[in-house]
Amino acid sequence: MRSASAQTWRPSGPMRILVNAAPGGTTDIMARILAGHLQQRWGTTVVVENKGGGGGTIATAEIARAAPDMLNLLSTNIGPSSIAYSLFRNLPYRPESFQPVSNMIRGPNVLVVHPSVPANSVADLVGLLRRDPGKLTYGTAGVGQSPHLSAAWFLQLVNAQAVPSHYRGSAPAMLDLLGGNIQFMFDNLSTAMPHVRSGRVRALAVTSAERNPALPDLPAMRETMPELAEYEVNTWFGIMAPAGVPADALRTVNLEIKALLEMPATIARFAEMGGVPAYGTPDQFAAFIRGEIEKWGAVVRREGVQLDVT
């Protein structure tokens, strides 16, 4: 905390953290945790604003156009900040439009089904999908978000079909799953965990290469079927600023995120969500994002999917 306190920059007015997803998901939770921390540290107003749509690209493009004064930040994730570059033909921003600030949390997605679905394992679900191609519907947090591509890659590998239903964030998709309007979805483990623990949805597997300590009895996808041996998806959620922000402002906010992520209360909360703190310097986060863009570009090309931002 001493290094964060030593910085000279302070916001000259109210700050805004724009969330490129609906309220209730991990992208939103991270923004609200950070906003509360910054308000407490600086005594300044930090407003969290949600703007979903376009697979997260609408809000992301807005921050790309914002003044580089560190008063407008973006709470973002793997979808609009890595997958989107290969998925969308007419994306209105490029990686160089942003200054990465720091990653905040990482963790797997989880495959969950409505309790009415007669599947207690991944193999059971695949059996249902193969018997009735296109009968089951799965929800996504938006076109091009990691839950969408987690499902697309899964269906490709097991040679099965299902109908996608796209939402403006994971929270509305989960609401429809809880209501039985869709049959399954991949969701960030961090936001699905309360519903899994309450029994309102049935978890079948996590998307990481290993099991998750929060649910040690739940298999990894690659354990469940030979077809899924190469399957691995990890999600991340971080903070970006417009390109060109002052170095002292960037350093100050980065170190405040570091201080927040090192707090025992933050570590404990993330563990409950099935995630771990993922602090990085601006340079480390930028290098990480470059690697993610390359990785997901290969996945999208294999899928043969290209979309237009609408």
Side-chain angles (χ1 to χ4, degrees):
M1 204 58 138
R2 287 194 302 273
S3 60
S5 302
Q7 301 304 318
T8 57
W9 182 84
R10 289 294 180 270
S12 58
M15 295 181 70
R16 177 179 68 147
I17 303 178
L18 189 60
V19 181
N20 54 21
T26 308
T27 318
D28 176 65
I29 293 170
M30 293 301 103
R32 295 181 190 280
I33 290 174
L34 179 60
H37 173 76
L38 295 179
Q39 285 187 160
Q40 185 177 40
R41 292 280 293 137
W42 295 336
T44 192
T45 300
V46 184
V47 176
V48 175
E49 180 184 337
N50 297 84
K51 184 173 287 188
T57 62
I58 294 172
T60 305
E62 183 173 329
I63 292 299
R65 298 189 299 267
D69 52 15
M70 216 64 191
L71 298 181
N72 290 281
L73 300 176
L74 177 71
S75 184
T76 189
N77 60 69
I78 189 173
S81 293
S82 61
I83 297 170
Y85 291 109
S86 52
L87 183 68
F88 293 107
R89 278 181 287 259
N90 58 336
L91 202 62
Y93 56 84
R94 299 301 307 156
E96 54 270 22
S97 306
F98 304 96
Q99 171 57 65
V101 181
S102 176
N103 210 343
M104 285 192 68
I105 188 174
R106 61 177 172 82
N109 286 330
V110 60
L111 171 57
V112 289
V113 299
H114 187 267
S116 65
V117 176
N120 292 305
S121 68
V122 174
D124 288 347
L125 179 62
V126 170
L128 292 175
L129 293 167
R130 287 173 175 170
R131 280 195 296 275
D132 290 300
K135 181 179 179 181
L136 299 187
T137 299
Y138 67 93
T140 84
V143 175
Q145 296 280 5
S146 76
H148 173 210
L149 286 189
S150 293
W153 193 18
F154 160 67
L155 292 168
Q156 180 189 33
L157 290 173
V158 300
N159 191 28
Q161 297 176 25
V163 179
S165 183
H166 300 297
Y167 298 82
R168 292 192 173 208
S170 65
M174 180 58 76
L175 280 176
D176 257 12
L177 181 64
L178 294 172
N181 298 316
I182 56 178
Q183 286 71 56
F184 71 98
M185 67 180 288
F186 286 80
D187 192 16
N188 309 138
L189 180 60
S190 49
T191 47
M193 187 71 81
H195 307 297
V196 172
R197 287 186 164 146
S198 70
R200 298 183 71 193
V201 298
R202 183 185 307 121
L204 301 184
V206 290
T207 63
S208 48
E210 300 84 21
R211 297 188 179 206
N212 189 275
L215 294 170
D217 294 331
L218 192 65
M221 290 283 288
R222 59 170 53 189
E223 288 180 54
T224 61
M225 298 180 68
E227 296 96 322
L228 297 170
E230 67 180 275
Y231 192 94
E232 179 184 2
V233 179
N234 287 290
T235 62
W236 54 267
F237 303 84
I239 301 298
M240 308 272 270
V245 293
D248 58 340
L250 174 64
R251 184 168 54 249
T252 298
V253 176
N254 173 271
L255 290 175
E256 287 297 346
I257 293 173
K258 183 175 189 288
L260 170 63
L261 297 182
E262 289 175 348
M263 291 178 180
T266 305
I267 295 169
R269 181 166 185 193
F270 284 12
E272 290 173 0
M273 296 166 65
V276 296
Y279 168 77
T281 66
D283 285 346
Q284 288 169 336
F285 191 29
F288 172 79
I289 290 172
R290 286 194 296 271
E292 288 288 279
I293 292 170
E294 184 177 343
K295 170 188 172 180
W296 286 104
V299 172
V300 169
R301 286 190 293 273
R302 283 202 302 271
E303 288 292 322
V305 173
Q306 277 242 291
L307 302 172
D308 291 314
V309 175
T310 56

